[in-house]
Amino acid sequence: MTAVLDTRTATGPAPLRLGALTVDPAVVLAPMAGITNPAFRTLCREFGAGLYVCEMITTRALVERNEKTLRMVRATAEERDAFSVQLYGVDPATVGRAVEMLVDECVAGTRPAHVDLNFGCPVPKVTRKGGGSALPWRRRLFEDIVTAAVRAAGDVPVTVKTRIGIDPEHHTYLDAGRIAQDAGAAAITLHGRTADQLYSGTADWSYIARLVETVDIPVLGNGDVWEADDALRMVAETGCAGVVVGRGCLGRPWLFGDLAAAFAGSSSRALPTLREVAAVMHRHATLLTAEHGEQHGCADFRKHVAWYLKGFSVGSATRRALAMVSSLDELAELLAGIEDQPYPTAVLGEPRGRTTPPRPVALPEGWLADRDDPRPPAGAELEVSGG
């Protein structure tokens, strides 16, 4: 793949150690609903190295052995030594049971090397019931959930992912970090936004730096890592032990190769031509087809088209056709008809994926009244995995 040289010489952090698991480079693929399935994880792994987390798995659905959830939690052959699962749950007993199923019963087909707990989801359907990024406000409940997961996991490292807080008046990240550390969490990831920001504006990395100063466990930084040099800058500015990448890799799985190079001190960065991007697109669709069958695999691939083609000069008719593709042969024919062109460097560093505007966080009535209420929020358990 075509590469460009820049003048950066900084290196990234040391390999990340989570219990017996070593993540080198210290780069983690953030769970994204409908995105980080086995096909996308495989594609990212082919370009780089790190830890690739599956789509969010809800503990209730796992405990109830929901068929879709059991399929989603299956590890691929390439993940046998480093299968990573993110769990969402609001009840300590259910979370503990779900971790037991993963670690002791190996319902994923292999014993996971790492379990992450989601306390960062900001979407209203989750926060209005007290889940996701709303839950750390109830610090005793948060403590009970993390404790239950760590106890059930045994020697499998458990980490926590959260946000700064609910809004500017209700920060939770420092308490969450201290509690997670005391409960035995191996690391904590902080997204530099509050829940009311959703994915708007700019992530504030200064909160990541403050959390690094507050806790002894590794802190991973998340938010607005669009390019490898952003990751270097985040590490330099915050002292974080690694980075978690979400939207930045949408339509750009080669970003993980850039990150591996940057963390090793190399200035090599990938700038694929449109022909090279087309090959990656076809590979992605092929992996999805192998997983879901051609019809469903190609249908699932459609949402990736705009991300892959961002900034390229491709006619609207061709874009529409690609967004309706139904077979690998059709995809190959459409891609072959596009004239090759260099990578559009103007889009480097630009946001990708969701850019929803900020809005007040929907919370259960009385949620903010008692931070030490340990009761799980009623009706907050999700029945479907993936977000």
Side-chain angles (χ1 to χ4, degrees):
M1 183 167 285
T2 305
V4 65
L5 296 181
D6 62 25
T7 58
R8 301 288 301 226
T9 57
T11 58
L16 175 67
R17 288 181 170 81
L18 304 174
L21 176 64
T22 298
V23 183
D24 186 15
V27 174
V28 179
L29 169 66
M32 291 179 282
I35 303 294
T36 55
N37 48 37
F40 190 70
R41 300 198 304 270
T42 297
L43 191 62
C44 292
R45 186 175 291 104
E46 290 175 351
F47 279 100
L51 191 63
Y52 301 95
V53 188
C54 72
E55 296 177 75
M56 185 184 78
I57 302 299
T58 63
T59 54
R60 177 179 173 182
L62 183 59
V63 168
E64 294 181 354
R65 299 183 182 271
N66 175 275
E67 185 176 341
K68 176 185 175 183
T69 295
L70 291 176
R71 287 197 305 268
M72 290 174 62
V73 81
R74 292 289 176 183
T76 67
E78 295 78 13
E79 295 174 311
R80 297 301 181 190
D81 295 329
F83 184 52
S84 181
V85 180
Q86 187 186 69
L87 297 177
Y88 165 92
V90 301
D91 181 85
T94 305
V95 171
R97 175 59 185 141
V99 174
E100 286 177 357
M101 291 174 64
L102 290 169
V103 172
D104 297 334
E105 299 177 24
C106 297
V107 293
T110 187
R111 196 169 188 256
H114 163 244
V115 173
D116 187 53
L117 301 178
N118 182 307
F119 297 104
C121 182
V123 299
K125 73 174 183 179
V126 170
T127 61
R128 72 165 49 99
K129 295 181 178 180
S133 52
L135 196 141
W137 180 258
R138 295 287 179 91
R139 52 195 173 195
R140 294 285 74 79
L141 175 60
F142 175 82
E143 178 182 21
D144 290 346
I145 292 173
V146 179
T147 299
V150 170
R151 183 181 298 123
D155 61 350
V156 173
V158 174
T159 60
V160 168
K161 186 171 188 288
T162 190
R163 286 190 170 224
I164 296 168
I166 294 173
D167 53 37
E169 288 73 44
H170 302 90
H171 285 182
T172 57
Y173 74 107
L174 292 179
D175 278 346
R178 286 186 287 258
I179 291 170
Q181 174 176 282
D182 292 345
I188 182 169
T189 296
L190 181 63
H191 183 132
R193 288 181 172 87
T194 50
D196 67 332
Q197 288 181 275
L198 294 171
Y199 296 94
S200 66
T202 303
D204 190 337
W205 296 349
S206 68
Y207 292 97
I208 299 171
R210 187 174 178 195
L211 184 58
V212 169
E213 296 171 350
T214 301
V215 300
D216 296 323
I217 58 175
V219 175
L220 305 180
N222 178 226
D224 295 358
V225 176
W226 309 115
E227 306 295 337
D229 290 333
D230 294 329
L232 290 176
R233 184 166 55 88
M234 175 184 277
V235 171
E237 291 181 7
T238 69
C240 65
V243 298
V244 177
V245 180
R247 294 176 296 156
C249 67
L250 295 176
R252 300 176 66 225
W254 53 86
L255 177 60
F256 289 95
D258 283 355
L259 288 161
F263 278 23
S266 169
S267 58
S268 176
R269 305 290 184 265
L271 288 178
T273 66
L274 182 52
R275 183 68 60 234
E276 291 171 323
V277 171
V280 177
M281 293 172 71
H282 196 273
R283 171 65 175 155
H284 192 170
T286 300
L287 289 167
L288 285 168
T289 294
E291 184 180 343
H292 300 294
E294 189 165 30
Q295 181 177 354
H296 288 96
C298 287
D300 191 42
F301 174 74
R302 295 170 187 168
K303 62 175 171 280
H304 296 272
V305 169
W307 294 323
Y308 276 114
L309 297 181
K310 183 178 176 68
F312 283 108
S313 179
V314 179
S316 57
T318 300
R319 287 178 180 269
R320 283 196 300 271
L322 285 167
M324 298 175 63
V325 70
S326 58
S327 72
L328 291 175
D329 286 345
E330 181 186 2
L331 175 62
E333 182 178 354
L334 287 167
L335 292 173
I338 305 174
E339 185 176 350
D340 198 16
Q341 55 192 273
Y343 194 83
T345 55
V347 304
L348 294 176
E350 289 190 354
R352 289 172 172 263
R354 293 173 289 185
T355 54
T356 44
R359 59 185 168 191
V361 180
L363 296 169
E365 184 176 356
W367 184 252
L368 301 176
D370 184 1
R371 294 204 65 188
D372 293 316
D373 187 342
R375 295 173 298 175
E381 292 280 9
L382 298 180
E383 298 178 359
V384 179
S385 295

